[in-house]
Amino acid sequence: MKEKINFLEELNEQQKSAVLNIDGPTLVVAGAGSGKTKVLTSKLAYIVEQRKAWPNQILCVTFTNKAAKEMRDRVAKMLAGKTNSLSWLGTFHAISVKFLRRHAEAIGLKSNFTILDTDDQKKLIKNISKAENIDAKKISPQFILSLIDKWKNKGLLPEEVKLSKKHVFENQILKVYKIYQTKIRDLNACDFGDLILYCVKLFEKNPDIRKIYSNNFKYILVDEYQDTNFIQNKWLQLIVNENQNICCVGDDDQSIYSWRGAEIKNFLGFDKVYTDCKIFRLEQNYRSTKNILDTASFIISHNKDRLGKKLWSEGEKGDLVKLNCYKNGKEEAQGTGAIIEENLKKNNSLNEMAILVRAIYQTREFEERFLKIGINYRIIGGIKFYERAEVKDAICYLRIINQKFDDLAFERIINRPRRGLGDATIKQLYEFSSKNNICLEDSAKKLFQLNKFKPKIKNVIKHLLELINKWRSDLKKNKHYDLLKIVLDESGYSEMLKNKKDLENETRIENLKELLRAMHDYDNLQGFLEHVALATSIDQEWEDEKVNIMTIHAAKGLEFNSVFLPGWEEGLFPHQKSLEERGDSALEEERRLAYVGITRAKKKAYISFAMQRSWHGEWMDSLPSRFVSELPENTIEKNEEPVNEVSDDFDFNQDNLLEDNEEYRSPGWARLKKKLLK
């Protein structure tokens, strides 16, 4: 028999108070690294141990399956494995499925209903859009689904939607929504958004069913409450019991997902809904040094919409948070690389270092630098810069302009943007190419001359070949980076991105702008394409430990010994678009992002900004972020003047790379030597 852990003895006073208070509504304001999961699992275990409820009378809601599994495992350990019946521990969606399977008929479904995945949803939306003559190039299925999902998160079925006219296409999308809901009902199916929405409708229209569950659940526990949206909060309110034994745990200072529908007012207004609630604050941090905590706390104190808390630690004061000013983005990447190398000399692991950016396009300069000096890296929650679809598309256009024998590039761009050329045309080109031992471009020319294409396809091929020839002539008269602007415009690629309503569209445009900035570092097209090919191929060879690169959003819930926070400039962080769209509320969320970023660091934090950024080939002055001025003087070590330029150590194509008298340059230099000597 497993030995039971005395879990209450492991809690600090704040945590213990929160755990022991089990009756009535409770809000636990849990600061970063303060042990919120420990409190939640301890409370669950305490309720069971004290026999206040049977395990199947406790509803415990998480946001991820991973969190649910972690909680289940922890509680099992605390109670010596006697918790096999925690049948109502899971995500909002998983628990909703259980409700709906039992009561499907009450909402017009059969109990064996299917849950559609994203691909199924997109296919269905595509078919409906086609039937309704909606141009998928202008309104993508993904964009339609995102708006439908927003309506569902607000608890709105098609007949309940009131058009805001915020989007010019709302009327068309609402029509698609009506047809879409009818069709998935006919299929005896629902999507992820329906799972919670249908539960709410089920409980609202069937008070007897609602009562079954509100009577059964003696206690409700909720994790990451600050991330709940309207419909999830409504779901909770409908099934809470008369005694209002609901305990919600979260951190209002880490509410950073409003773009995903999360509503911080659920958290801030908890005491208005549950008037007799008790609020507990977990302020002792077990993750970061005092200087890091004081820095984060001081910044977040500038927010008005928060419940308020002050993080503290019994740990060491630690290093001051470094604030570095660089001349430009390239030097910021060089300086960061130099600091990482210094940390490596002290036997610090790359896995324990992270670069957290505000916008994903910022990764490019760091990737470039790390490839050059031999520091391996991973992109968390995203794709490496030169592997992003829009970047690869643009590069393939440049590759085919550079030389016509690049069949892979020709195949990629022939129908990007869509020109009405399908697999049959590609197959025809490849077969003719193979038979006559010529490249795809020459195949297209020859088949055109032989009149082997259908009239519509013939015109498309003719236009494309003429454009490619024109671009080759343009290259002789223009800089290679100016040529890319011409190509993107004349190919229709720019227009496709501008007109397309798509969630990721803005990111794609930013990535292409960053690609243009990258091209300015090279004298000609050939040199740039060689760099791209070399960068991607070398990167694939390196393994072992890696620096983590990700957005601050993707870093939530993670921790690292050393954290780098680059790009603290106005317009980038806080992000200009967010401020323009949502004003003061966006500024507060951007500040919460800064708080989340800083509190990912356990031992060292490095904040940096650049005095200049490249914009369309021109150097533009940058203003330091307003968050820089909000940093506390006593916890910051400032480099007031721009950090001296870090010299480029080497290029991979140097002839003398392995000369015996070559001085030691970096850890990457040493690693590269070993690889080349094998």
Side-chain angles (χ1 to χ4, degrees):
M1 188 176 177
K2 293 180 182 177
E3 187 180 346
K4 194 163 65 177
I5 299 170
N6 191 346
F7 51 88
L8 291 179
E9 288 183 2
E10 297 183 350
L11 304 174
N12 64 40
E13 287 307 307
Q14 288 178 321
Q15 292 172 333
K16 191 179 289 186
S17 298
V19 167
L20 296 178
N21 184 79
I22 61 173
D23 296 323
T26 305
L27 184 67
V28 181
V29 185
S34 63
K36 72 172 177 66
T37 305
K38 192 175 191 176
V39 165
L40 207 55
T41 51
S42 297
K43 185 182 274 280
L44 200 162
Y46 180 73
I47 291 168
V48 174
E49 188 188 55
Q50 295 296 307
R51 300 189 178 182
K52 296 290 185 179
W54 295 107
N56 64 358
Q57 293 175 316
I58 303 169
L59 173 65
C60 189
V61 191
T62 66
F63 267 82
T64 65
N65 290 316
K66 182 184 176 184
K69 184 181 183 303
E70 185 184 352
M71 282 191 66
R72 193 180 295 276
D73 292 345
R74 284 199 191 189
V75 174
K77 205 171 182 179
M78 290 175 180
L79 297 176
K82 296 178 180 178
T83 55
N84 294 332
S85 55
L86 283 173
S87 50
W88 295 103
L89 192 164
T91 64
F92 278 100
H93 293 98
I95 293 167
S96 293
V97 170
K98 286 189 176 185
F99 290 149
L100 294 178
R101 293 284 185 211
R102 294 181 175 189
H103 309 284
E105 285 77 12
I107 54 164
L109 290 171
K110 295 176 182 173
S111 60
N112 63 343
F113 62 83
T114 302
I115 303 168
L116 300 182
D117 62 21
T118 305
D119 285 342
D120 293 330
Q121 290 175 265
K122 282 183 181 176
K123 284 176 188 173
L124 191 53
I125 293 292
K126 276 182 184 176
N127 292 337
I128 297 168
S129 296
K130 194 174 180 180
E132 295 298 314
N133 295 315
I134 294 172
D135 189 352
K137 293 179 184 176
K138 291 184 177 179
I139 316 176
S140 71
Q142 189 178 348
F143 182 77
I144 293 172
L145 279 171
S146 73
L147 192 52
I148 289 173
D149 197 50
K150 279 182 182 176
W151 284 329
K152 289 183 177 182
N153 287 342
K154 292 289 184 184
L156 303 172
L157 290 167
E159 60 273 17
E160 298 168 322
V161 173
K162 292 180 182 177
L163 297 177
S164 66
K165 296 182 181 177
K166 189 177 179 181
H167 301 289
V168 292
F169 302 113
E170 264 196 358
N171 195 40
Q172 287 174 282
I173 296 173
L174 179 56
K175 193 175 180 181
V176 173
Y177 184 17
K178 289 174 182 174
I179 300 168
Y180 172 76
Q181 285 302 106
T182 302
K183 285 191 176 292
I184 60 176
R185 283 229 173 219
D186 292 343
L187 294 168
N188 189 38
C190 57
D191 61 23
F192 258 58
D194 288 328
L195 295 176
I196 300 174
L197 176 59
Y198 283 171
C199 277
V200 167
K201 300 299 180 186
L202 171 72
F203 294 143
E204 285 180 335
K205 293 177 181 178
N206 301 275
D208 53 331
I209 296 175
R210 171 188 170 183
K211 201 168 181 178
I212 291 171
Y213 293 103
S214 64
N215 287 342
N216 178 72
F217 297 132
K218 291 188 176 181
Y219 296 94
I220 297 174
L221 308 178
V222 186
D223 193 17
E224 302 286 8
Y225 183 58
Q226 79 281 345
D227 292 334
T228 54
N229 58 30
F230 172 85
I231 200 68
Q232 289 165 339
N233 201 44
K234 184 80 172 175
W235 185 95
L236 289 167
Q237 289 174 6
L238 284 167
I239 54 177
V240 72
N241 59 29
E242 290 181 359
N243 296 323
Q244 297 189 330
N245 291 336
I246 180 170
C247 175
C248 295
V249 181
D251 185 2
D252 51 327
D253 291 334
Q254 295 189 69
S255 179
I256 58 174
Y257 296 122
S258 65
W259 52 275
R260 215 163 62 185
E263 296 191 0
I264 192 173
K265 64 183 181 183
N266 293 341
F267 197 97
L268 299 177
F270 186 86
D271 59 342
K272 305 292 189 300
V273 177
Y274 305 99
T275 51
D276 295 327
C277 85
K278 291 182 181 177
I279 298 177
F280 296 87
R281 286 172 171 81
L282 306 184
E283 297 172 309
Q284 184 175 356
N285 176 283
Y286 294 92
R287 176 188 298 156
S288 309
T289 63
K290 289 178 181 178
N291 279 327
I292 290 170
L293 291 180
D294 288 348
T295 303
S297 295
F298 195 79
I299 278 189
I300 201 64
S301 69
H302 290 79
N303 272 5
K304 294 177 182 176
D305 291 333
R306 60 189 296 260
L307 295 180
K309 62 182 175 300
K310 173 72 174 173
L311 293 180
W312 61 277
S313 171
E314 288 182 344
E316 60 183 13
K317 202 170 183 69
D319 293 348
L320 293 171
V321 174
K322 304 294 191 297
L323 177 63
N324 292 324
C325 170
Y326 296 96
K327 288 180 181 176
N328 52 53
K330 186 177 181 181
E331 288 193 18
E332 185 178 49
Q334 291 173 345
T336 301
I339 296 169
I340 289 172
E341 289 183 357
E342 284 300 313
N343 285 338
L344 281 174
K345 289 176 185 176
K346 297 173 184 174
N347 294 320
N348 292 317
S349 167
L350 285 177
N351 290 334
E352 282 295 327
M353 303 181 204
I355 297 171
L356 311 184
V357 298
R358 175 61 183 87
I360 194 66
Y361 73 83
Q362 289 175 261
T363 69
R364 198 269 306 172
E365 284 186 305
F366 294 99
E367 292 185 56
E368 298 266 18
R369 183 61 185 168
F370 294 167
L371 288 168
K372 181 167 277 191
I373 64 175
I375 292 176
N376 205 10
Y377 66 92
R378 64 172 69 87
I379 304 290
I380 306 290
I383 301 167
K384 292 181 177 181
F385 184 79
Y386 288 115
E387 293 173 9
R388 294 166 195 170
E390 60 282 357
V391 174
K392 289 177 78 170
D393 289 345
I395 288 170
C396 281
Y397 269 107
L398 296 173
R399 279 167 51 184
I400 199 65
I401 293 166
N402 187 56
Q403 64 109 351
K404 70 175 184 179
F405 299 103
D406 195 334
D407 283 355
L408 291 174
F410 188 81
E411 182 183 351
R412 185 174 181 97
I413 62 99
I414 195 170
N415 205 37
R416 295 189 189 204
R418 293 189 183 277
R419 302 183 173 94
L421 304 176
D423 293 340
T425 305
I426 303 294
K427 186 181 177 185
Q428 184 182 7
L429 288 171
Y430 263 113
E431 287 176 350
F432 192 85
S433 168
S434 179
K435 188 177 178 181
N436 295 278
N437 198 28
I438 55 177
C439 65
L440 290 184
E441 186 179 331
D442 285 344
S443 293
K445 288 177 185 174
K446 194 68 178 173
L447 287 166
F448 176 82
Q449 292 166 358
L450 296 170
N451 204 28
K452 295 292 185 181
F453 293 122
K454 294 176 181 177
K456 187 178 177 182
I457 292 173
K458 185 177 179 181
N459 290 334
V460 171
I461 293 288
K462 180 185 178 203
H463 182 61
L464 180 61
L465 293 173
E466 287 173 347
L467 280 175
I468 292 171
N469 284 330
K470 177 189 175 296
W471 295 331
R472 285 172 182 152
S473 299
D474 289 341
L475 182 58
K476 297 172 184 175
K477 303 175 285 186
N478 295 276
K479 292 285 187 183
H480 52 294
Y481 42 79
D482 290 328
L483 175 68
L484 180 57
K485 296 177 192 175
I486 295 168
V487 170
L488 292 173
D489 286 341
E490 294 183 353
S491 67
Y493 205 97
S494 294
E495 187 182 5
M496 175 190 76
L497 292 181
K498 286 174 186 173
N499 293 337
K500 198 172 185 181
K501 293 295 176 182
D502 192 315
L503 283 177
E504 303 298 324
N505 212 45
E506 189 177 328
T507 301
R508 293 188 190 105
I509 292 170
E510 288 295 340
N511 283 333
L512 288 174
K513 287 178 181 176
E514 185 62 27
L515 179 66
L516 281 163
R517 286 193 281 271
M519 292 177 72
H520 282 78
D521 292 338
Y522 297 86
D523 295 331
N524 53 55
L525 180 60
Q526 183 72 38
F528 174 69
L529 291 176
E530 284 178 3
H531 161 73
V532 172
L534 195 59
T536 50
S537 63
I538 288 174
D539 185 43
Q540 290 169 359
E541 293 177 8
W542 286 328
E543 296 175 357
D544 308 319
E545 292 190 346
K546 299 174 182 178
V547 174
N548 304 282
I549 308 177
M550 71 198 84
T551 63
I552 303 174
H553 283 102
K556 189 170 175 288
L558 304 178
E559 58 183 42
F560 306 92
N561 283 340
S562 301
V563 168
F564 298 83
L565 297 157
W568 279 42
E569 298 136 38
E570 284 295 305
L572 179 53
F573 193 33
H575 202 280
Q576 188 62 35
K577 188 172 183 291
S578 295
L579 299 185
E580 288 172 357
E581 289 182 351
R582 296 187 291 111
D584 288 346
S585 66
L587 177 60
E588 294 219 341
E589 183 157 327
E590 293 284 308
R591 194 174 280 114
R592 291 195 291 271
L593 264 178
Y595 172 85
V596 167
I598 295 168
T599 55
R600 299 311 93 196
K602 293 195 284 186
K603 295 179 180 178
K604 295 181 180 182
Y606 304 86
I607 297 168
S608 60
F609 61 93
M611 295 177 66
Q612 289 185 322
R613 294 277 176 189
S614 176
W615 185 256
H616 297 300
E618 300 289 328
W619 287 105
M620 305 288 289
D621 290 341
S622 302
L623 283 174
S625 168
R626 67 191 75 185
F627 300 152
V628 169
S629 63
E630 294 174 359
L631 293 167
E633 293 285 338
N634 62 320
T635 66
I636 300 293
E637 181 183 314
K638 293 182 181 179
N639 287 311
E640 300 280 3
E641 298 298 322
V643 176
N644 291 330
E645 183 175 354
V646 183
S647 62
D648 281 338
D649 292 334
F650 61 88
D651 290 314
F652 284 124
N653 60 357
Q654 287 181 343
D655 294 331
N656 62 347
L657 205 60
L658 296 177
E659 288 182 8
D660 291 334
N661 63 351
E662 192 70 71
E663 65 180 35
Y664 174 82
R665 309 272 185 129
S666 69
W669 177 264
R671 285 194 290 273
L672 183 66
K673 276 187 173 183
K674 286 178 184 177
K675 278 188 178 291
L676 295 179
L677 286 170
K678 282 182 179 178

